[in-house]
Amino acid sequence: MRAIKVKEDFYWVGAIDWKVRNFHGYSTTRGTTYNAYLLIDEKIVLFDTVKHGFEEELLARISSVVEPSKVDYLVVNHIEPDHAGAFLRAVEVIKPEKIFITRNGKQGIISHFHKGDLPFEEVKTGYEVKVGKRTLRFIETPMIHWPDSMMTYIPEDKILVSQDAFGAHYATSGRFDDEVDYCELIQETRKYYANIVYPYSPQVAKLLQTVKEMKLEFEIICPDHGVVLRKHIKDILALYEKWSSFTCEPVVLIIYDTMWKSTEKMAYAIMEGVSKEGVEVKLRNLTVSDPTELMAEVLESKGLILGSPTLNNGLLPTVSGFLTYMKGLRPRGKIGAAFGSYGWSGESVKLLNQYLQEIQAEIVHEGIRCKYAPDKEVLAQCEELGRLVAKKIKESCSA
Ligand code: FEO
């Protein structure tokens, strides 16, 4: 286990989790990394630690550069356990002179570990520390990803240690963005934004504005997951700008599930209507769709048409489960509609519309309810619904 040099005196010393496939519900199909970084200057600084269970990998990588007990400062940019799970073990070995952390971070660490007698030094945006030839400049980024979150900028090297932001759950042997497949990198960055960062889009937009105002330049961005960015920084920042402003593509996503194929027949008829208007459409049956992957499609699709039959006066559990997850991620800027079949009570369309209202979608139709099985007339209505949503999307995307 060795450190990887990122720049002169600056190393990646994190851990690679090749095997993880479920990260508190997030399907990490390509594994992940827990990144930590080491700066060697007059003071030696460790940025973040790793998840519990990877402590020895972290310490071994540090040891390949310097004896861990020689580390002077620990910067805790984020306290979520995938980055602070090894905090106590690292502190025990390093015995840092100072631990730089936000007030929320300090309180969180104390609540997690019930240990307050540590050399914490609370920092705020603009707080700077000289560590020799270099400076650590802290930027609070509350809610990107937790209330404690911050980033550290090293102006002399134009390095941003960005904790969760700009990262991806992506385990690779390459440590840099120019050593991995570009399409995979973008795919995993999109998936990460949609499932982790999406609810905090207003904060991301504000951060990007602050970066512009402060005229910060980045040569290297070091996130806490995935690869170090040095070649595709512009692309990733542009994507964050797009996603945080809720800019979507003219694509319709039909998300549904079905019991006896009636709702599915409706879904196919709606798809036909969208297609006839020349708009791209994707059909996603929730029984066979991965919610994490699906959220990446929700992120970029302007149209969201939801379908479920009525089951026990409610929605199918696959549908209500996914929509509860989606609602929490706070998508915005969608054009929506709903449909579903029923036997006697028929609440599903009303419930689907409630979800659309909760994500502030523009609902362009009251929804189509179908008793038992759709006949030609209902299928024609469904096709018209697809056409209507597609037309609205064309208007909206050309405006
Ligand atoms: Fe990767 Fe919010 O922790």
Side-chain angles (χ1 to χ4, degrees):
M1 300 273 180
R2 63 191 169 90
I4 304 291
K5 188 172 173 180
V6 173
K7 198 169 179 176
E8 203 55 41
D9 302 327
F10 193 85
Y11 298 86
W12 173 86
V13 289
I16 305 176
D17 192 345
W18 293 97
K19 292 188 292 184
V20 66
R21 289 293 177 272
N22 185 331
F23 188 96
H24 58 53
Y26 184 129
S27 64
T28 40
T29 42
R30 290 191 171 105
T32 194
T33 68
Y34 313 110
N35 296 339
Y37 301 93
L38 188 71
L39 172 66
I40 310 288
D41 205 316
E42 283 170 31
K43 293 289 184 184
I44 299 176
V45 188
L46 176 65
F47 299 87
D48 289 319
T49 65
V50 293
K51 189 177 167 184
H52 175 62
F54 292 85
E55 292 88 344
E56 300 319 308
E57 185 169 342
L58 169 76
L59 293 171
R61 291 192 196 277
I62 296 172
S63 300
S64 72
V65 181
V66 68
E67 175 59 35
S69 62
K70 299 266 191 268
V71 173
D72 300 289
Y73 294 160
L74 174 59
V75 173
V76 180
N77 281 320
H78 184 26
I79 64 161
E80 192 165 2
D82 48 334
H83 311 295
F87 172 82
L88 277 191
R89 173 83 174 120
V91 166
E92 176 189 281
V93 174
I94 292 169
K95 298 185 179 55
E97 186 186 324
K98 289 181 181 177
I99 300 170
F100 296 103
I101 192 165
T102 61
R103 173 166 295 186
N104 283 332
K106 177 181 160 182
Q107 287 165 352
I109 284 285
I110 292 169
S111 299
H112 264 109
F113 298 110
H114 312 290
K115 202 164 164 52
D117 57 339
L118 294 171
F120 293 115
E121 185 151 329
E122 285 181 24
V123 300
K124 291 184 172 180
T125 296
Y127 191 106
E128 290 190 354
V129 181
K130 281 300 271 184
V131 292
K133 286 182 285 183
R134 297 174 182 83
T135 314
L136 309 182
R137 187 182 296 165
F138 303 106
I139 306 165
E140 288 172 282
T141 56
M143 302 320 295
I144 318 172
H145 169 224
W146 275 13
D148 57 274
S149 294
M150 69 169 184
M151 299 182 185
T152 309
Y153 183 60
I154 305 171
E156 294 82 359
D157 290 325
K158 297 189 175 126
I159 293 177
L160 179 72
V161 186
S162 64
Q163 45 96 26
D164 276 343
F166 312 121
H169 285 313
Y170 188 29
T172 54
S173 58
R175 287 278 55 76
F176 297 92
D177 58 351
D178 48 22
E179 296 175 340
V180 298
D181 181 88
Y182 181 76
C183 291
E184 282 188 8
L185 171 69
I186 298 300
Q187 251 176 34
E188 292 303 335
T189 304
R190 178 185 296 114
K191 188 171 153 185
Y192 187 87
Y193 189 97
N195 288 276
I196 303 282
V197 187
Y198 206 177
Y200 313 115
S201 292
Q203 288 88 341
V204 171
K206 199 173 155 203
L207 171 70
L208 295 175
Q209 188 56 34
T210 305
V211 163
K212 278 184 193 161
E213 284 165 11
M214 291 171 81
K215 295 189 169 53
L216 296 186
E217 291 177 0
F218 306 128
E219 257 179 37
I220 298 174
I221 293 183
C222 299
D224 271 0
H225 296 290
V227 290
V228 171
L229 306 176
R230 64 182 177 189
K231 184 177 180 192
H232 302 300
I233 291 176
K234 249 181 152 176
D235 296 6
I236 303 294
L237 289 178
L239 285 170
Y240 264 60
E241 197 155 336
K242 175 188 174 187
W243 296 330
S244 64
S245 62
F246 303 119
T247 305
C248 299
E249 298 296 325
V251 174
V252 175
L253 203 52
I254 301 173
I255 300 175
Y256 76 99
D257 208 344
T258 196
M259 285 173 71
W260 298 107
K261 307 286 184 197
S262 291
T263 299
E264 187 160 75
K265 282 177 188 155
M266 297 171 80
Y268 274 80
I270 293 168
M271 179 174 68
E272 192 63 19
V274 177
S275 265
K276 281 183 177 170
E277 286 297 325
V279 170
E280 186 181 345
V281 56
K282 297 174 182 173
L283 199 64
R284 297 291 181 253
N285 180 312
L286 283 164
T287 293
V288 293
S289 298
D290 174 341
T292 315
E293 300 283 358
L294 191 48
M295 272 314 301
E297 297 189 300
V298 169
L299 173 69
E300 292 205 318
S301 302
K302 185 72 182 167
L304 210 52
I305 307 182
L306 308 177
S308 175
T310 297
L311 175 71
N312 303 328
N313 306 105
L315 300 171
L316 279 186
T318 45
V319 179
S320 54
F322 176 74
L323 294 183
T324 300
Y325 179 59
M326 183 186 79
K327 185 178 78 172
L329 292 166
R330 289 182 230 150
R332 294 289 182 268
K334 305 299 182 193
I335 288 174
F339 65 98
S341 63
Y342 66 99
W344 46 98
S345 59
E347 291 90 344
S348 70
V349 168
K350 186 176 153 208
L351 295 168
L352 293 170
N353 277 330
Q354 281 173 9
Y355 276 104
L356 289 170
Q357 282 161 5
E358 282 173 308
I359 62 163
Q360 299 174 21
E362 180 190 347
I363 301 174
V364 295
H365 190 280
E366 72 273 18
I368 299 178
R369 298 166 74 234
C370 166
K371 193 167 172 67
Y372 289 117
D375 58 12
K376 271 189 182 165
E377 195 181 322
V378 171
L379 292 176
Q381 286 171 14
C382 289
E383 196 173 310
E384 267 316 298
L385 174 72
R387 279 182 177 272
L388 175 68
V389 172
K391 281 179 193 162
K392 292 278 181 190
I393 284 171
K394 285 195 282 190
E395 282 168 25
S396 160
C397 291
S398 65

